[in-house]
Amino acid sequence: MNADLIQNLTRAIERASECKAGHLESVAVVEMFREKVTWEGMVEVFVLAGHPKATRAYGWAYQDGRETRYIAVLELPPVDSANTAVQAAIAAKAQK
């Protein structure tokens, strides 16, 4: 586990959720579409303290050129796992 990554994701999740977050675990996710891998990586799972609706959040980072981007997804329906967090982020990006 990369401590800098966890620290940066914690900040991103705390900004998105407006509450405190603590790292819980790392989950490997492979997202497939039509038998092809569309996304593969580690998703960090966080516990939220003080959010009115979500108890967990999911985060990961990716390289966009030379810049590192951090993704934060709260566990709000339909998101209920690391897998569905990735699916929601892919769908949101496709809508832009």
Side-chain angles (χ1 to χ4, degrees):
M1 172 175 47
N2 180 327
D4 288 336
L5 172 65
I6 299 302
Q7 184 177 35
N8 288 328
L9 286 172
T10 301
R11 276 189 237 135
I13 287 170
E14 287 178 346
R15 277 193 305 270
S17 65
E18 298 181 346
C19 65
K20 289 292 184 186
H23 185 252
L24 181 63
E25 64 181 334
S26 302
V27 177
V29 173
V30 178
E31 186 59 34
M32 306 282 292
F33 182 72
R34 295 187 181 164
E35 299 181 21
K36 292 185 181 179
V37 174
T38 57
W39 191 90
E40 182 175 11
M42 294 301 291
V43 175
E44 304 304 327
V45 182
F46 293 81
V47 175
L48 299 177
H51 192 276
K53 294 182 181 177
T55 57
R56 291 186 185 204
Y58 305 91
W60 60 93
Y62 70 94
Q63 287 301 124
D64 185 10
R66 293 184 180 177
E67 192 172 345
T68 302
R69 304 267 183 192
Y70 299 95
I71 303 296
V73 179
L74 301 182
E75 188 179 77
L76 296 169
V79 175
D80 62 2
S81 67
N83 289 70
T84 57
V86 170
Q87 291 168 0
I90 290 170
K93 188 174 181 179
Q95 290 180 352
K96 288 184 180 181

